[in-house]
Amino acid sequence: MALLNILQYPDERLHTVAKPVATFDDALQKLIDDMAETMYEAPGIGLAATQVNHHIRLIVIDVSEERNNLLVLINPQIVEMDGKTTYEEGCLSVPGIYEEVERADHIKVQALDRNGQPYEISTGGLLAICIQHEIDHLDGKVFVEKLSRLKLQRIVQKLKKNQRKTM
Ligand code: NI
């Protein structure tokens, strides 16, 4: 396994819309393992392929306390959404920034597992929020873009300042 480089906002490649996964070959299995390792190492609770510059519809998530419940979602589709909730979100592509974002409170998602087998999850809470955040990545959207323009400008300035400091 190998650690992958995570694209940092405002990298334009984060705005790429990912294509559906069509082949479940060894290269895909390796990418899934590498993404999981990268997410655990970071540490984060979710990572979309977009963030490691692979523009296919693949997400890894683990919201468990024990960090032993890896969830792989391929070609995920939200088929039901209910209610509203807000949560202070962060993102491995936007280090050090945490902001309240509004999302659906409960979702039903259909996806394929790493072997291409279809499954469905009906969930709320942090998992529902995380799945919505990661699917946004596949659609080329980053959570800070849901904020006001002024707030987003401040965040981009802050991120650029931080990047200058780390040489
Ligand atoms: Ni993110």
Side-chain angles (χ1 to χ4, degrees):
M1 289 199 277
L3 289 178
L4 304 169
N5 183 44
I6 300 175
L7 300 179
Q8 301 294 300
Y9 194 80
D11 193 311
E12 268 307 310
R13 291 171 289 182
L14 288 168
H15 294 134
T16 312
V17 177
K19 295 197 169 71
V21 172
T23 24
F24 292 77
D25 55 7
D26 289 348
L28 181 74
Q29 303 307 319
K30 183 176 190 311
L31 178 60
I32 293 168
D33 291 339
D34 288 347
M35 281 176 59
E37 193 187 8
T38 303
M39 174 186 73
Y40 286 124
E41 174 72 22
I45 60 169
L47 188 67
T50 308
Q51 293 175 273
V52 291
N53 204 28
H54 285 262
H55 301 287
I56 57 170
R57 304 191 78 82
L58 161 65
I59 291 166
V60 294
I61 289 177
D62 191 341
V63 295
S64 71
E65 286 293 326
E66 303 78 15
R67 316 286 284 153
N68 60 3
N69 190 17
L70 181 68
L71 198 60
V72 178
L73 294 103
I74 295 171
N75 301 344
Q77 298 259 26
I78 296 178
V79 293
E80 274 179 39
M81 284 180 141
D82 257 317
K84 277 182 184 167
T85 187
T86 56
Y87 185 79
E88 195 171 71
E89 296 186 15
C91 179
L92 294 175
S93 292
V94 197
I97 305 293
Y98 298 88
E99 294 285 346
E100 292 248 325
V101 174
E102 190 178 277
R103 306 239 181 226
D105 182 43
H106 198 277
I107 58 171
K108 192 192 270 185
V109 190
Q110 291 172 348
L112 304 176
D113 69 12
R114 64 187 303 159
N115 302 310
Q117 294 305 306
Y119 69 102
E120 194 174 272
I121 318 171
S122 188
T123 188
L126 184 57
L127 180 57
I129 291 164
C130 188
I131 291 172
Q132 291 172 81
H133 175 117
E134 303 308 336
I135 290 178
D136 272 0
H137 276 303
L138 301 183
D139 291 329
K141 297 180 212 155
V142 182
F143 85 104
V144 288
E145 291 160 356
K146 287 169 136 350
L147 307 169
S148 72
R149 212 182 157 139
L150 184 66
K151 228 173 192 179
L152 181 58
Q153 281 172 358
R154 282 191 190 140
I155 288 168
V156 170
Q157 279 170 4
K158 191 173 164 187
L159 288 169
K160 282 183 180 159
K161 220 181 256 174
N162 289 347
Q163 278 168 4
R164 277 205 299 271
K165 273 183 214 152
T166 50
M167 281 187 233

